[in-house]
Amino acid sequence: MNKKLSFVSKLCFGIGAFGKDAVYAIVGTYLMMYLTDYRSVAPAFVGTLFMVARIWDAFNDPFMGMVVDNTKTKWGKFRPWILIGTILNAIILVLLFLDNGIEGKGYLVWCSVFYLLWGMTYTIMDIPYWSMVPALTEDEMERSQISAIPRIFASLAWLVINSFGLVMVAKFGNGDDVRGFSILAIIIAIVFILASLVTCLTCKERIVVPKAEKTTIKGMMNVLFKNDQVKIILGIALFFNIAYQLSNSFALYYFKYVAERTYDTAGNGVLYPVYAGVAGFAQMGSMAVLPFLSQKIGKKISFFFASFCPVFGFALLWILGYIIPKNIIAVGICSAIVNIGIGFMLVFITVILSEVVDYGEYKLGTRNESILFSMQTFVVKFAGAFSGFLSGIGLTLIGYVANQQQTAGAENGMRVIMFLIPAILSALCFLIYIKGYKLTPDYYKEVKAGIEMNRQKNI
């Protein structure tokens, strides 16, 4: 029986998520509007760029997972890559938002190259970070806590960047918002490196299963296609992340152009910071209680709330948007309902994926944390790209014009993208779960017992 992890160890592991999600927040929330509204890049070009980058990741991410799985050093197989990826990604982030004075086609090349490199270097760090979760403990309650704590730090990062990002841009830029974004990116890059150092210096893997041979491309394909639960968790993760990232990134457009009808680039509106601030607190609160709530009411009912709280919250926000669009209390309540479900789902996905890692070891005889978690990284980035592509093409189709009053048709189109599409995708997550996920508590105990028996035989 492994000794339980200390609270300090769990906390230090979670701190790493603050840095890496601060990086993802500035890119996921602001990059599209930064390019369309501040650098005058066509929305369709931005959406296409995001999608092309993720097509490349379809090949890049699983191979990075294979590399991590085959790594063997005295510092373990995860921490070296976390540190390397962090430093590289921090540098690329600064270059992506650099106030370089380049315009026209030259800037299109610049942002394309560094966005592609940003995705690749984020992979180097993100895959080994989440792959450490099932390697830190086998205790189910501890694993839920370890999954929740970094998600809480991640939500705190999104809270800070989403609520105060435009305020910091205005402050740092002092009238030059492009310069403000550049300075903000530098600060986030420094925080990112410091946070990853805390994780790398204080946390190490504890569940180490010796590999008889290195994972090959054929072995990687075997892991992905013969573990029948992989497609279930990836389906849930894909639909959830598209819904989450689409609504999150498009909220800037909705509150600016529909709810508040402000058309400058200064970001003076109050509704989006309220929406984002409440979202952060709601997510952190729901993540903290989920391990205990799930034990009380069961995973299935908890997962129902995770899937349908966003559906109800989006529906309510859509309706109230016609009646009291600028009411801060209404926006805050709707945001809380939506993001309680989102907080639940963020933890659920990590916990379920850890269970799928165990199931893969039980069924196939090999433990491939990084290959399986590489698919989560790919899904998260693909969802961000697809939501960006959908936003870019959607903005073009509905007749969006940057920094101008929108037509009634464009406003209705924004409501569909912001509310209807994410609500449908969130509901589909529950359908996939009840139809396809078979690792019930009783069966999972059988899986764990089988794993222990197999390990004893191999000693």
Side-chain angles (χ1 to χ4, degrees), residues 133-135 137-144 147 207 227 229 299 350-362 367 433 437-452 455:
V133 172
T137 182
E138 291 184 312
D139 181 87
E140 290 182 57
M141 187 61 177
E142 276 205 322
R143 190 173 280 179
S144 294
S147 299
I207 312 302
N227 184 334
Q229 292 301 287
K299 288 175 65 175
T350 305
V351 171
I352 291 173
L353 193 49
S354 297
E355 292 175 352
V356 173
V357 169
D358 291 335
Y359 176 72
E361 182 181 354
Y362 171 70
R367 189 172 182 86
Y433 180 79
Y437 193 66
K438 67 183 186 184
L439 294 176
T440 61
D442 289 340
Y443 182 53
Y444 186 59
K445 288 178 182 177
E446 182 181 324
V447 168
K448 296 290 287 183
I451 291 173
E452 187 61 31
R455 289 179 183 174

